[in-house]
C-alpha cells in the first residue's frame, strides 16, 4: 500500500504534464484547410491589440513558414536516421553535404533547407520568454545565411523591434504566439502545399477585410486562377510570367495544372518568372514557391515598368510563352504608369 500511494502522485503529475504540453503534435496529424484557417486566426488574435492589424501578418507568416521549414527538416532527418542506422551518422552526412553545398554554391542534396540543431523549432518553443524576440531574429537570420535562397523571405522581420522606445511585440505575447504556432505539425505528411497556400490567402483576405479593403487588389479568386491555368494548359519546357505576381498563387497554378496533366514529366515543367513591388508580398511569393518546392522559379522585387528585372543582354525584355496577371493589379499599374508619364498626381 505505501508503495502504491507513493507512485500514484508521480503518475498523476506526469499525466498532467503530457496533457498541457501540446508539442510536438502527433506525427500522423493531417491538417485540413478549415483547421489551418482557425489556427492562423487564433495566432492573429493572440497578438491582437499589441500591433496594428496590417502588421499581424508580418509577425505570423514568417514564423509559421519557419516552423514549416523546421518540421520538414525534422522529417528528412528522421528519414536519414532510418537510412543510415543512427542519428550521429545521419547528422554527419547532412552536415558534410551542407558544408560542400555552401562552398561550391550548389543546393543541398540531403535536405531541402538546412536548419542547425540550435535553431530548430523545439529550441524556439522551449527558449522561454526572456530574450525570445532577439533569439528568433537571430535564428531566422542565421538560417537565411546558411540557406541563401531564403534571403528576403525568412529574414524580413525583426522580432525585437521597438517603436518610440517600446517593443512592438513584447516577449510575453511573442511566447504566446509561438505556443499557438506550435499547436500543429507542418511536415511533409501533415499538410499539402495547397492547404498551406489556401490558408495564407485566407489570412491575407481577413486582414484586408479588417481594413475595409478588397482582397482583389492582391489576391485573384481561386476559381479565376484555375480557369486561367486550364486555358493556358502549358506545354513542356515553356515559361510563364506574371508582371505583378503578388503572393505568386496565380503564377503557380498553371504549373500545378502541368504536373497534373504530365505526372511523369516534372523535369520538363514550365519555369516560373514573376516580379512584385511590395516587399512583404514578395516574401510571401517566395514562401509559396518554397512550399511547393518550385526551387527553379525566378522571382524578383521591383517596379515592373520602371525597373523590369527579366531582360536579355542585347535583346531587351525577356520573352515568355505565357503570361498571367491579376486584372486589378495590372490595370492599377497601367494607370500609375500613365500618371508618372505625365507627371501628375490625382490622389
Amino acid at each position: 500500500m505505501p508503495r502504491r500511494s507513493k507512485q500514484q502522485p508521480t503518475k498523476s503529475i506526469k499525466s498532467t504534464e503530457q496533457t498541457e504540453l501540446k508539442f510536438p503534435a502527433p506525427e500522423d496529424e493531417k491538417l485540413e484547410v478549415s483547421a489551418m484557417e482557425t489556427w492562423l486566426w487564433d495566432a492573429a488574435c493572440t497578438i491582437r491589440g499589441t500591433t496594428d492589424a496590417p502588421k499581424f501578418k508580418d509577425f505570423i507568416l514568417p514564423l509559421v513558414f519557419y516552423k514549416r521549414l523546421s518540421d520538414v527538416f525534422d522529417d528528412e532527418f528522421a528519414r536519414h536516421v532510418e537510412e543510415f542506422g543512427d542519428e550521429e551518422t545521419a547528422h554527419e552526412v547532412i552536415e558534410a553535404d551542407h558544408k560542400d553545398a555552401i562552398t561550391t554554391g550548389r543546393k543541398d542534396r540531403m535536405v531541402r533547407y538546412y536548419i542547425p540543431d540550435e535553431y530548430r523549432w523545439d529550441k524556439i518553443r522551449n527558449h522561454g520568454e526572456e530574450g525570445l524576440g532577439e533569439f528568433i531574429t537571430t535564428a531566422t537570420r542565421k538560417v537565411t545565411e546558411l540557406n541563401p535562397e531564403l534571403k528576403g523571405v525568412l529574414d524580413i522581420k525583426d522580432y525585437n523591434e521597438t517603436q518610440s522606445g517600446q517593443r512592438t511585440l513584447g516577449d510575453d505575447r511573442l511566447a504566446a504566439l509561438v505556443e499557438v504556432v506550435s499547436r500543429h505539425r507542418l511536415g511533409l505528411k501533415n499538410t499539402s502545399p495547397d492547404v498551406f497556400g489556401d490558408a495564407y490567402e485566407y489570412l491575407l483576405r481577413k486582414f484586408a477585410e479588417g481594413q475595409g479593403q478588397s482582397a482583389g487588389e492582391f489576391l485573384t479568386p481561386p476559381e479565376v486562377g484555375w480557369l486561367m491555368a486550364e486555358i493556358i494548359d502549358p506545354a513542356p519546357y515553356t515559361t510563364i510570367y506574371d508582371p505583378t505576381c503578388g503572393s505568386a498563387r496565380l503564377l503557380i497554378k498553371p504549373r500545378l495544372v502541368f504536373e497534373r496533366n504530365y505526372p511523369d514529366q516534372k523535369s520538363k515543367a514550365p519555369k516560373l518568372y514573376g516580379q512584385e513591388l511590395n516587399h512583404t508580398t514578395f516574401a510571401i511569393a517566395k514562401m509559396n514557391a518554397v512550399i511547393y518546392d518550385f526551387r527553379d522559379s525566378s522571382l524578383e522585387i521591383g517596379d515592373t515598368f520602371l525597373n523590369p528585372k527579366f531582360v536579355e543582354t542585347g535583346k531587351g525584355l525577356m520573352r515568355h510563352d505565357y503570361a498571367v496577371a491579376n486584372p486589378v493589379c495590372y490595370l492599377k499599374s497601367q494607370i500609375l504608369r500613365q500618371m508618372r508619364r505625365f507627371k501628375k498626381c490625382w490622389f
Side-chain angles (χ1 to χ4, degrees):
M1 289 296 292
R3 290 183 178 178
R4 291 180 181 177
S5 61
K6 189 175 182 179
Q7 291 176 347
Q8 187 62 33
T10 303
K11 291 182 178 180
S12 177
I13 292 173
K14 185 176 181 181
S15 176
T16 301
E17 290 176 348
Q18 289 176 338
T19 300
E20 294 176 351
L21 193 61
K22 297 179 180 180
F23 177 86
E27 292 290 332
D28 59 349
E29 177 187 22
K30 298 294 184 182
L31 195 57
E32 302 297 334
V33 173
S34 58
M36 176 78 86
E37 291 176 350
T38 300
W39 171 52
L40 289 178
W41 191 242
D42 285 347
C45 291
T46 300
I47 58 175
R48 185 192 297 273
T50 62
T51 183
D52 295 335
K55 296 182 179 179
F56 286 176
K57 65 180 183 301
D58 298 345
F59 286 97
I60 297 171
L61 297 183
L63 202 59
V64 172
F65 180 65
Y66 189 99
K67 188 175 191 303
R68 167 72 172 189
L69 294 177
S70 184
D71 286 352
V72 169
F73 179 87
D74 288 344
D75 289 345
E76 293 175 324
F77 180 74
R79 176 168 56 83
H80 290 308
V81 169
E82 185 176 346
E83 178 184 357
F84 296 111
D86 62 84
E87 291 188 4
E88 184 177 355
T89 303
H91 184 274
E92 290 177 355
V93 173
I94 293 173
E95 184 82 15
D97 176 70
H98 176 69
K99 288 182 178 179
D100 183 69
I102 291 293
T103 302
T104 60
R106 64 169 175 81
K107 297 177 181 178
D108 288 67
R109 296 192 181 100
M110 304 302 294
V111 295
R112 286 171 173 79
Y113 296 95
Y114 178 76
I115 313 293
D117 289 343
E118 61 269 29
Y119 296 127
R120 284 156 78 170
W121 184 261
D122 61 322
K123 299 300 191 302
I124 290 178
R125 197 259 179 172
N126 292 296
H127 182 274
E129 288 186 12
E130 187 175 354
L132 181 60
E134 183 176 355
F135 179 74
I136 292 178
T137 301
T138 300
T140 56
R141 291 176 179 174
K142 184 61 179 178
V143 170
T144 299
E145 180 183 331
L146 296 172
N147 301 273
E149 286 182 75
L150 300 178
K151 186 173 179 59
V153 182
L154 191 60
D155 57 343
I156 61 173
K157 193 63 184 174
D158 179 0
Y159 287 86
N160 205 39
E161 70 177 21
T162 61
Q163 291 182 339
S164 301
Q166 184 176 348
R167 284 281 297 279
T168 304
L169 183 63
D171 283 334
D172 56 340
R173 288 295 185 94
L174 182 55
L177 175 60
V178 168
E179 196 67 20
V180 174
V181 174
S182 299
R183 189 181 297 170
H184 299 288
R185 284 204 89 251
L186 296 175
L188 298 172
K189 297 180 180 179
N190 305 117
T191 181
S192 69
D194 289 330
V195 172
F196 208 72
D198 289 345
Y200 266 147
E201 289 191 359
Y202 163 82
L203 198 53
L204 292 173
R205 188 175 293 107
K206 290 286 285 187
F207 290 138
E209 293 171 354
Q211 296 175 264
Q213 298 177 351
S214 169
E217 181 179 346
F218 51 86
L219 288 177
T220 303
E223 298 82 2
V224 175
W226 285 118
L227 177 60
M228 294 171 70
E230 294 287 354
I231 292 174
I232 288 176
D233 189 17
Y237 296 120
T238 54
T239 62
I240 306 173
Y241 173 62
D242 186 341
T244 54
C245 69
S247 63
R249 291 279 283 162
L250 177 60
L251 182 61
I252 284 170
K253 283 181 172 61
R255 179 153 173 172
L256 295 177
V257 168
F258 174 88
E259 293 190 350
R260 183 200 66 198
N261 294 339
Y262 305 91
D264 300 326
Q265 300 184 44
K266 290 188 177 182
S267 62
K268 303 178 182 179
K271 188 172 181 179
L272 308 180
Y273 293 84
Q275 187 164 338
E276 170 57 30
L277 178 61
N278 182 280
H279 285 261
T280 302
T281 310
F282 168 76
I284 295 172
K286 295 278 284 186
M287 291 180 197
N288 274 320
V290 169
I291 290 167
Y292 281 95
D293 204 24
F294 294 163
R295 300 179 68 175
D296 61 343
S297 302
S298 294
L299 302 176
E300 298 288 347
I301 189 166
D303 189 309
T304 303
F305 291 110
L306 297 181
N307 186 23
K309 298 292 185 177
F310 300 108
V311 295
E312 296 179 301
T313 304
K315 297 182 179 180
L317 295 176
M318 183 183 297
R319 294 179 177 273
H320 300 276
D321 298 294
Y322 311 98
V324 295
N326 180 312
V328 175
C329 289
Y330 182 74
L331 290 175
K332 181 180 178 182
S333 63
Q334 288 280 29
I335 292 172
L336 290 175
R337 184 189 186 192
Q338 294 301 321
M339 290 169 63
R340 292 193 187 99
R341 179 182 177 184
F342 293 107
K343 298 182 179 180
K344 293 182 179 180
C345 183
W346 300 314
F347 58 88

